[in-house]
Amino acid sequence: MAQTLKDKTVAVLATDGFEQVELTEPVKALRDEGATVRIVSPRTGQIQGWKHHDKGDRVDVDVALDQADANRFDALVLPGGVINPDALRLEPKAIDFIRSFVQSGKPIAAICHGPWTLIDAGGVRGKRMTSWPSLKTDLTNAGANWEDSEVVTDKGLVTSRKPDDLPAFCRKMIEEFAEGRHHGHRHAAE
């Protein structure tokens, strides 16, 4: 394997209610490419995954959000699930953590409902994006150029709609994370 991300450390920001495969599949893909991956959460111990409407597996938290320093990470993953991003939007420290990636131009990959938090972090204005269809109006109202596509990339921001899009999402995520910072990303947030 190429190990294209062997020198990268990636944060996955999540809390209870994340869509299980939208966390586990990107984490597996990143680790397969050599990345160091850390689950960051406002909760400690474990967080509860979901498989659509049913409880899934619990996942260990590696770093409490209170202790997380965005400067120590090269990229950010925002998994979906309805509950997870909705809860994170109410956590000022979570929004500040995401905003740090937006403002520094570090790559971000968000799937399904994950892009919801990017609205609050100032990371969607002027960006081409996709998401779960129910977020279309929210993202459009926040200034994003929403499209119904399997995966959309825009200056280091990778977005996808749903679990079926994970193969394309993971490929583009790895590509963008390998490229590193995208300085045009910052200007869209200002």
Side-chain angles (χ1 to χ4, degrees):
M1 188 149 297
Q3 298 282 298
T4 58
L5 301 176
K6 67 179 175 153
D7 296 325
K8 305 284 185 180
T9 303
V10 179
V12 178
L13 180 61
T15 193
D16 288 333
F18 65 90
E19 183 67 30
Q20 185 168 315
V21 295
E22 293 173 359
L23 183 144
T24 59
E25 289 301 309
V27 166
K28 180 183 182 314
L30 290 164
R31 287 184 174 150
D32 285 350
E33 288 295 325
T36 300
V37 181
R38 297 284 177 251
I39 308 299
V40 177
S41 180
R43 298 185 51 90
T44 57
Q46 293 184 323
I47 52 176
Q48 179 67 56
W50 285 79
K51 294 181 179 179
H52 200 53
H53 294 293
D54 300 314
K55 279 190 176 180
D57 297 331
R58 297 184 69 76
V59 171
D60 291 331
V61 173
D62 298 309
V63 183
L65 182 60
D66 284 347
Q67 303 300 312
D69 178 358
N71 294 318
R72 294 177 169 244
F73 296 98
D74 299 296
L76 175 65
V77 177
L78 299 169
V82 178
I83 300 166
N84 167 56
D86 193 49
L88 290 174
R89 292 178 81 185
L90 298 175
E91 292 277 348
K93 288 181 180 176
I95 298 306
D96 289 344
F97 186 73
I98 297 165
R99 187 178 294 116
S100 294
F101 288 85
V102 170
Q103 291 177 342
S104 66
K106 292 179 183 177
I108 300 170
I111 187 167
C112 194
H113 287 78
W116 232 353
T117 56
L118 287 167
I119 294 170
D120 297 85
V124 304
R125 183 164 306 284
K127 292 291 196 169
R128 286 182 52 246
M129 300 179 71
T130 194
S131 66
W132 185 254
S134 65
L135 272 63
K136 176 183 178 180
T137 300
D138 293 349
L139 289 166
T140 302
N141 286 343
N145 300 309
W146 192 90
E147 59 186 73
D148 184 14
S149 298
E150 179 179 57
V151 64
V152 176
T153 59
D154 189 341
K155 296 182 183 84
L157 177 62
V158 179
T159 53
S160 282
R161 305 168 299 189
K162 57 189 174 183
D164 290 348
D165 298 338
L166 278 164
F169 178 74
C170 289
R171 276 191 305 276
K172 279 301 198 182
M173 172 187 67
I174 289 164
E175 179 183 316
E176 292 297 316
F177 287 10
E179 288 178 12
R181 288 183 194 256
H182 290 68
H183 295 289
H185 194 34
R186 181 170 183 237
H187 301 297
E190 296 177 338

